[in-house]
């Protein structure tokens, strides 16, 4: 079973500060989603609402057609792994795992044991005394073994070294293929995981600015360099980022529908068209004035 | 493994085409599943499936219900024909344009081709 998510005009205010402005989107069940945003953009606020850790100020959320907040039936369908993890004082790793096993009905003990071994997790040690990387490994183990129909990882890799992160990506992908479910990953390490995402959502200052298939984002972005007038002609009707000039040469990043004929014409006019990675596009789209100095 | 020049599904399709042309994948042979491709290249299985769909639409692969994807009987011949079609445009015409730009006479190119060919045949 996979569960879809629908968010409609979602708002979250903390006093006079609005963390989320009118977010509206729909996630089909059974896909891997990437949630990208700069620090303080509202990612964790959004994910906390989806996981019913927090109640929105306005708007609605439905998971599999039901509102998740204070809904016991939904709680066991959603697993939310936060960056530092909420560990009970005095709990051993073993206790944390058995607590998790009792929370999520799809929990797979054998898979949890396999991950404990892969990450070398010390079962008897108190969870609060683990290193940051080991805490993350415990979080990832719980998130994966929960097999919850909606599993959310909010920067769950913090403190993990590169081999541990790659183990996470590999386990996530393989287990997802065997047990399809809705997975949302928020991350700053875009290049490492971009190829795992079927769709990407980018939020900036509490607003949703992109929700697209990852593959279509790749086809829409281009780095364009050449004579200024030709660059401007090509960029017409597209969103333009990161304009730079060197003499009569101009360079921009464009985002929009591109047809092959227009691209060929551009090349024949002496323009260079280069690819733009998801990470570069993200940087351009979320740039602020203060970043340019 | 992949670059940003084209969508990953396109690059998956290109790799499979290359394997068919070079004979690594034979006609009527079963192709690895989309999940196997996804696990191997560490990509989303929907991306791999999109690459397979592209090849099915082009008639390079065909589906046997409940078994998997197979290489079409004429796949290699049609891929070779496609490659030959674009060879002059993509390789020869581009070379001639570059030669013209930097002032290499066509006669020199022909001489060069003949000498390389002669060396290979000797």
């Amino acid at each position: 079973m996979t569960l879809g998510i629908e968010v409609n005009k979602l708002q979250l205010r903390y006093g006079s500060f609005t963390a989320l402005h009118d977010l509206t989107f729909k996630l089909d069940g059974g896909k891997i989603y990437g949630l990208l945003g700069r620090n303080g953009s509202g990612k964790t606020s959004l994910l906390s609402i989806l996981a019913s850790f927090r109640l929105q100020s306005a708007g609605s959320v439905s998971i599999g057609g039901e509102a998740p907040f204070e809904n016991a039936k939904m709680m066991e369908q959603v697993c939310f792994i936060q960056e530092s993890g909420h560990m009970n004082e005095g709990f051993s790793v073993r206790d944390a795992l058995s607590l998790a096993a009792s929370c999520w009905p799809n929990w797979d003990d054998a898979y949890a044991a396999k991950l404990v071994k892969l990450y070398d997790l010390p079962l008897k040690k108190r969870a609060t005394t683990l290193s940051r990387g080991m805490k993350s490994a415990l979080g990832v183990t719980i998130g994966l073994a929960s097999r919850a129909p909606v599993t959310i990882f909010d920067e769950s890799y913090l403190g993990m070294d590169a081999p541990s992160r790659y183990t996470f990506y590999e386990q996530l992908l393989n287990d997802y293929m065997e047990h399809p479910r809705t997975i949302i990953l928020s991350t700053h390490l875009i290049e490492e995981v971009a190829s795992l995402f079927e769709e990407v959502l980018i939020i900036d200052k509490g607003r949703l600015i992109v929700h697209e298939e990852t593959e279509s984002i790749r086809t829409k972005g281009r780095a364009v360099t050449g004579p200024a007038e030709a660059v401007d002609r090509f960029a017409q009707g597209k969103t333009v980022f990161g304009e730079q000039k060197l003499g009569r040469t101009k360079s921009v990043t464009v985002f929009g529908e591109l047809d092959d004929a227009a691209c060929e014409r551009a090349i024949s006019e002496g323009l260079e068209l280069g690819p733009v990675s998801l990470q570069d596009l993200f940087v351009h789209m979320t740039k602020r004035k203060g970043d340019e100095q | 493994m992949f670059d940003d020049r084209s969508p990953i599904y396109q690059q998956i399709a290109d790799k499979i085409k290359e394997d068919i042309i070079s004979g690594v994948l034979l006609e009527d042979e079963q192709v690895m599943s989309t999940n196997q491709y996804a696990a191997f290249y560490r990509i989303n299985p929907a991306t791999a499936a999109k690459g397979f769909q592209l090849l099915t639409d082009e008639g390079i692969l065909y589906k046997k219900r409940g078994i998997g994807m197979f290489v079409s009987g004429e796949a290699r011949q049609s891929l070779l024909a496609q490659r030959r079609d674009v060879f002059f445009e993509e390789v020869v015409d581009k070379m001639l344009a570059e030669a013209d730009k930097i002032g290499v006479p066509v006669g020199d190119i022909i001489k060069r081709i003949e000498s390389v060919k002669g060396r290979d045949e000797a």
Side-chain angles (χ1 to χ4, degrees), chain B residues 17 20-21 27 55 57-61 71-86:
Chain B
K17 283 182 180 174
I20 294 171
I21 287 173
E27 285 163 5
L55 295 172
D57 292 345
E58 289 180 24
I60 307 292
L61 298 182
V71 179
S72 305
E74 323 73 53
R76 188 158 185 274
Q77 281 318 310
S78 79
L79 286 173
L80 283 173
Q82 271 178 28
R83 280 281 186 96
R84 286 188 203 110
D85 283 347
V86 296

Side-chain angles (χ1 to χ4, degrees), chain A residues 17 240 289:
Chain A
F17 176 71
V240 178
K289 282 210 173 97

Side-chain angles (χ1 to χ4, degrees), chain A residues 53-184:
Chain A
F53 279 32
R54 198 180 276 289
L55 183 63
Q56 64 270 29
S57 314
S60 66
V61 174
S62 87
I63 298 182
E66 292 192 38
F69 195 74
E70 295 198 339
N71 178 341
K73 198 178 116 201
M74 259 11 267
M75 297 282 282
E76 52 185 42
Q77 303 297 320
V78 181
C79 179
F80 181 33
I81 302 297
Q82 288 186 288
E83 45 175 295
S84 42
H86 288 291
M87 300 295 169
N88 269 346
E89 200 60 48
F91 261 41
S92 66
V93 169
R94 193 192 302 278
D95 295 337
L97 292 169
S98 34
L99 177 66
S102 68
C103 289
W104 287 287
N106 291 352
W107 180 267
D108 185 326
D109 254 332
Y111 187 44
K114 182 184 163 185
L115 293 167
V116 163
K117 218 168 168 188
L118 268 178
Y119 280 121
D120 243 336
L121 277 166
L123 286 172
K124 288 181 191 151
K125 221 170 163 181
R126 285 224 311 260
T128 44
T129 63
L130 295 176
S131 69
R132 188 153 202 190
M134 282 306 231
K135 273 184 194 148
S136 292
L138 176 58
V140 156
T141 298
I142 292 172
L144 288 171
S146 78
R147 298 253 169 85
V150 175
T151 305
I152 301 171
F153 295 99
D154 187 12
E155 289 181 52
S156 305
Y157 54 79
L158 283 184
M160 278 187 172
D161 54 23
S164 303
R165 293 199 301 273
Y166 280 74
T167 300
F168 170 45
Y169 305 147
E170 214 161 87
Q171 289 300 322
L172 177 91
L173 180 61
N174 289 332
D175 200 61
Y176 160 77
M177 289 194 285
E178 279 172 39
H179 304 275
R181 52 206 194 255
T182 308
I183 292 174
I184 306 174

Side-chain angles (χ1 to χ4, degrees), chain A residues 226-229 245-250:
Chain A
E229 321 82 71
K245 269 185 181 161
L246 180 67
R248 250 172 274 156
T249 302
K250 190 169 174 180

Side-chain angles (χ1 to χ4, degrees), chain B residues 44-115:
Chain B
N44 191 292
T47 308
K50 224 168 159 181
F52 276 51
Q53 188 57 49
L54 197 71
L55 295 172
T56 316
D57 292 345
E58 289 180 24
I60 307 292
L61 298 182
Y62 65 94
K63 191 176 193 165
K64 276 194 196 169
R65 227 166 255 288
I67 305 176
M69 303 296 289
F70 290 78
V71 179
S72 305
E74 323 73 53
R76 188 158 185 274
Q77 281 318 310
S78 79
L79 286 173
L80 283 173
Q82 271 178 28
R83 280 281 186 96
R84 286 188 203 110
D85 283 347
V86 296
F87 172 74
F88 286 95
E89 223 175 281
E90 300 258 300
V91 182
V92 181
D93 295 0
K94 276 194 182 149
M95 176 188 71
L96 288 173
E98 171 72 6
D100 188 50
K101 193 156 117 190
I102 60 174
V104 176
V106 175
D108 287 6
I109 301 174
I110 294 170
K111 255 186 248 155
R112 171 74 175 188
I113 292 171
E114 279 167 351
S115 85

